[in-house]
Amino acid sequence: MVQFDWLLQIQAAVFKTWQATGGKGVKIAVLDTGLDPVHPALKHLNIAGHKLNAASPGFNPSKPQLHGNGNVADAHRKRGHGTQCVSVISSKAAGSDTLVGIAPEAEVFIIKINTVDNKFFLVKDFLRGLEAAANLGVDLVVASIAYLPGDVALERIPPAEVDRVFGLLKQSGAMLLAALPNKDASQSWVGIAANSFPSLRPETINIGAVSQAMLDARKDEIDAEPGVHFMVSNVKGHFCKINGEYVQEPISSSYATYLVAGIAALYLAARKKRLGTETPALEDGDFTKGFGQRFVKLSEAPAILDNSVPGFFKKTNGVV
């Protein structure tokens, strides 16, 4: 028995032809805290060539397949951040208690980017993971991470190196979806993308989470803010079972990013199925318009959010 089906939760934001694909034919790189490799609903992700640890000594992002069987065990303090998040996209039926993800047929590369002690994320490891993703030829990169711009300089990473890696990503045709910093209703959104890395990069598709209180207080401000592309209402979501219990938490920007990435995967899968092997590459604007076409404009967001299913919102102006 399916206890929770994400496709039912997102059906207002996608077409049935998208849902039917299951994300098949789409490649996704997940830059996060790793994966519980024996999780029954995610065991199909524990495969050779798809497990990379960008923080491990000697990792070479230019030859990622040499490291495709790395240790990606998820030891994050929040009961497995990467495991929870990727379940939104990839969970498959496993026994009587199961959660079904948005695009479980998508091919997923787990790229662990937190340090060996599982406490921190370094910019250098994020960049190595991003370069590896570009060289793997993925369609989507998902990164629920937000650094202060000063962290790049603190690690003494030259701007030219950042440009090089993002240039490789653009050349590969992959799209990067990243989480904006979490905010509460009292906090200003002015400059949120410009003051966060990788959100400040023009190549990045930025996603945040919005509560009812924030919608009431900050809707116009968020809608006008450059670098904010999509928002997801932070209703309580369901994530994979950990230690025998389903994780149920309000949707943060991390989870919102994975939700939007799952919808993007369905869109790309349907597009590939329709156009065949000669599917042309998409520009950023065409891509975001494509998968966000059924999202509601934030300026037209309902006065009262439905607290049972997440709402998906796009900016009134800008890339979408």
Side-chain angles (χ1 to χ4, degrees):
M1 178 180 177
V2 174
Q3 297 294 318
F4 193 84
D5 189 338
W6 272 108
L7 279 178
L8 295 178
Q9 305 299 307
I10 66 165
Q11 57 185 338
V14 300
F15 295 99
K16 288 184 178 180
T17 53
W18 300 6
Q19 294 185 48
T21 68
K24 187 175 182 180
V26 173
K27 296 181 179 181
I28 305 172
V30 172
L31 277 59
D32 213 307
T33 62
L35 176 77
D36 176 357
V38 297
H39 196 292
L42 299 169
K43 61 185 178 181
H44 57 289
L45 303 184
N46 184 21
I47 57 176
H50 290 66
K51 300 177 291 181
L52 298 86
N53 190 329
S56 64
F59 180 80
N60 182 355
S62 66
K63 297 180 179 179
Q65 285 294 356
L66 292 177
H67 310 271
N69 292 307
N71 178 9
V72 297
D74 189 354
H76 191 267
R77 63 185 181 278
K78 289 181 68 177
R79 295 184 294 173
H81 186 273
T83 301
Q84 290 178 17
C85 286
V86 79
S87 75
V88 170
I89 295 175
S90 299
S91 286
K92 288 187 176 182
S96 59
D97 293 324
T98 184
L99 175 146
V100 177
I102 296 172
E105 300 305 319
E107 181 180 359
V108 177
F109 292 87
I110 302 296
I111 304 180
K112 184 172 179 175
I113 61 169
N114 60 330
T115 50
V116 175
D117 59 9
N118 299 300
K119 292 182 178 180
F120 305 103
F121 293 97
L122 295 176
V123 177
K124 70 177 182 66
D125 296 329
F126 166 76
L127 290 173
R128 293 203 297 178
L130 201 62
E131 181 174 350
N135 287 317
L136 287 166
V138 301
D139 301 290
L140 300 173
V141 182
V142 189
S144 290
I145 189 76
Y147 302 93
L148 293 172
D151 291 342
V152 180
L154 191 65
E155 291 186 35
R156 298 182 180 180
I157 300 172
E161 173 62 8
V162 178
D163 289 341
R164 182 189 71 82
V165 173
F166 275 87
L168 289 174
L169 188 73
K170 187 173 182 62
Q171 185 178 1
S172 75
M175 302 291 183
L176 171 63
L177 292 85
L180 290 161
N182 287 307
K183 296 277 189 179
D184 62 39
S186 68
Q187 296 174 305
S188 172
W189 280 66
V190 175
I192 185 171
N195 291 311
S196 179
F197 179 84
S199 294
L200 56 77
R201 296 289 307 194
E203 303 93 338
T204 308
I205 299 162
N206 297 316
I207 298 137
V210 59
S211 65
Q212 180 67 61
M214 190 182 296
L215 194 69
D216 294 340
R218 300 285 180 179
K219 180 167 67 173
D220 292 342
E221 180 182 307
I222 297 170
D223 199 42
E225 184 61 25
V228 177
H229 302 126
F230 297 104
M231 300 293 293
V232 180
S233 61
N234 72 339
V235 301
K236 185 170 286 188
H238 289 234
F239 310 97
C240 66
K241 259 190 173 181
I242 293 182
N243 297 328
E245 295 183 1
Y246 278 112
V247 178
Q248 295 177 281
E249 298 181 4
I251 294 172
S252 65
S253 60
S254 289
Y255 298 133
T257 302
Y258 278 79
L259 284 170
V260 174
I263 291 173
L266 294 180
Y267 163 69
L268 286 177
R271 186 172 182 269
K272 289 185 177 187
K273 185 176 181 180
R274 184 177 74 251
L275 298 178
T277 56
E278 300 302 318
T279 304
L282 282 163
E283 294 296 326
D284 293 7
D286 291 332
F287 172 64
T288 51
K289 287 177 182 177
F291 75 79
Q293 60 191 275
R294 295 191 68 174
F295 289 14
V296 177
K297 289 182 180 179
L298 190 63
S299 62
E300 300 170 1
I304 299 175
L305 297 179
D306 184 339
N307 287 320
S308 63
V309 295
F312 294 88
F313 307 107
K314 58 187 177 182
K315 291 282 295 297
T316 301
N317 300 307
V319 69
V320 293

